[in-house]
Amino acid sequence: MRINKYLASLGIGSRRAIDKLADEGRIRVNGVIATAGTKVSNEDTIEINGKKIKKEVEKKVYYMLNKPLEVLSSVTDDRGRKTVVDLIKCKERIFPIGRLDYNTTGLIILTNDGELFNRVIHPRSEIYKQYYVKVLGEIKEESVEKLKTGVKLEDGYTLPALVKVIKSEKGKSELELCIREGRNRQVRRMMESINCPVISLKREKIGKLSLGKLKLGEYRKLTDEEIKYLYSL
Ligand code: URA
């Protein structure tokens, strides 16, 4: 089995994260540096960053967190900044599904289930994510139309978005924006493209999963129904 699939099945991380570790030369199989294409089996000894990995399959766990400001959406940080994984007390090796910017707050899901990770972030998964956005400037009707049909960014046109303007005044506006893609800084770039730079950004929903009463920094386990729902998407 390919090393990314094997390690993902043990809950080490997503296949993509494992490919990155392999590309960086941080994985050894039987003492030899592995590549993303290396095949492994249960008999092999695998080390990541010099540490031998345990082969027992972990129980799958699923959390939702209301990510505060100034927290990274990664597992670790070379510069010692706080990550979303640091905020959750659990012994399993969890990782976030998708990313929120350092200065974005809101709903993020963490799990050790690599299969769910792949389904949710797959480009063909059509899950809408809902953001509550505060911006500088007034949102004009023509800008709303642009967001709804697709705006041109450096990496191409965005897919149609759902837009609900909550408040629009000369100095500041507020809106709800639902998008299906997850490009880097997508909402911020979409709002810049209509000359309304983001002041604050919060993810309120992923599909029908919503933060509910979770305050910033709080988290809870997903219910069985919520897990089933994510798998059904
Ligand atoms: N879009 C952004 O610009 N930032 C986020 O954190 C999420 C979506």
Side-chain angles (χ1 to χ4, degrees):
M1 191 189 287
R2 266 174 83 109
I3 193 156
N4 62 2
K5 194 168 178 196
Y6 180 79
L7 291 178
S9 75
L10 293 180
I12 303 291
S14 69
R15 287 192 215 174
R16 197 189 277 179
I18 291 156
D19 283 343
K20 189 162 174 271
L21 287 172
D23 288 343
E24 291 167 0
R26 301 213 247 161
I27 309 183
R28 281 177 188 266
V29 177
N30 305 324
V32 178
I33 292 184
T35 66
T38 300
K39 295 234 166 66
V40 291
S41 71
N42 255 336
E43 278 67 55
D44 292 312
T45 303
I46 306 176
E47 292 163 83
I48 300 179
N49 294 328
K51 248 173 130 183
K52 206 162 138 187
I53 60 131
K54 285 197 226 127
K55 301 243 178 84
E56 312 93 71
V57 179
E58 283 184 341
K59 178 172 78 87
K60 297 281 180 275
V61 291
Y62 306 85
Y63 294 93
M64 73 157 70
L65 165 73
N66 186 349
K67 179 185 134 5
L69 288 172
E70 300 184 356
V71 174
L72 282 175
S73 299
S74 58
V75 176
T76 55
D77 180 43
D78 300 344
R79 289 158 56 190
R81 288 170 296 179
K82 203 173 254 178
T83 74
V84 284
V85 170
D86 296 332
L87 297 181
I88 295 187
K89 289 196 185 78
C90 78
K91 57 180 182 348
E92 288 81 11
R93 292 172 292 218
I94 54 169
F95 46 87
I97 298 187
R99 286 176 185 273
L100 289 177
D101 297 336
Y102 194 59
N103 283 321
T104 300
T105 60
L107 176 54
I108 190 158
I109 296 168
L110 295 105
T111 183
N112 55 353
D113 183 346
E115 171 60 25
L116 185 71
F117 177 94
N118 288 326
R119 280 171 180 249
V120 174
I121 63 146
H122 196 281
R124 279 208 306 274
S125 102
E126 300 226 321
I127 309 174
Y128 273 102
K129 291 114 192 162
Q130 180 178 309
Y131 293 88
Y132 182 76
V133 197
K134 287 190 185 166
V135 296
L136 280 178
E138 186 188 358
I139 304 182
K140 305 203 181 86
E141 195 45 50
E142 69 211 52
S143 302
V144 172
E145 283 314 307
K146 274 194 194 165
L147 294 171
K148 282 186 176 171
T149 48
V151 293
K152 192 173 177 204
L153 302 179
E154 281 161 24
D155 45 0
Y157 278 94
T158 57
L159 290 176
L162 306 177
V163 187
K164 185 168 140 200
V165 177
I166 296 163
K167 206 184 322 172
S168 183
E169 292 161 359
K170 281 242 156 55
K172 277 187 200 167
S173 305
E174 293 171 28
L175 69 152
E176 242 170 46
L177 184 70
C178 293
I179 57 170
R180 283 184 276 165
E181 304 160 278
R183 302 192 212 167
N184 191 26
R185 299 186 67 256
Q186 180 163 344
V187 174
R188 292 175 199 273
R189 291 191 291 137
M190 287 171 78
M191 300 315 296
E192 275 157 24
S193 81
I194 57 157
N195 293 319
C196 291
V198 167
I199 303 169
S200 71
L201 182 57
K202 174 185 183 187
R203 182 155 67 192
E204 296 182 316
K205 285 188 176 181
I206 298 176
K208 63 178 193 187
L209 261 59
S210 131
L211 275 176
K213 293 207 174 85
L214 279 189
K215 300 203 183 79
L216 284 175
E218 287 183 348
Y219 62 90
R220 69 165 172 84
K221 283 196 166 160
L222 295 189
T223 63
D224 289 346
E225 242 172 67
E226 288 170 330
I227 299 163
K228 249 193 230 150
Y229 163 71
L230 289 175
Y231 260 101
S232 75
L233 292 167

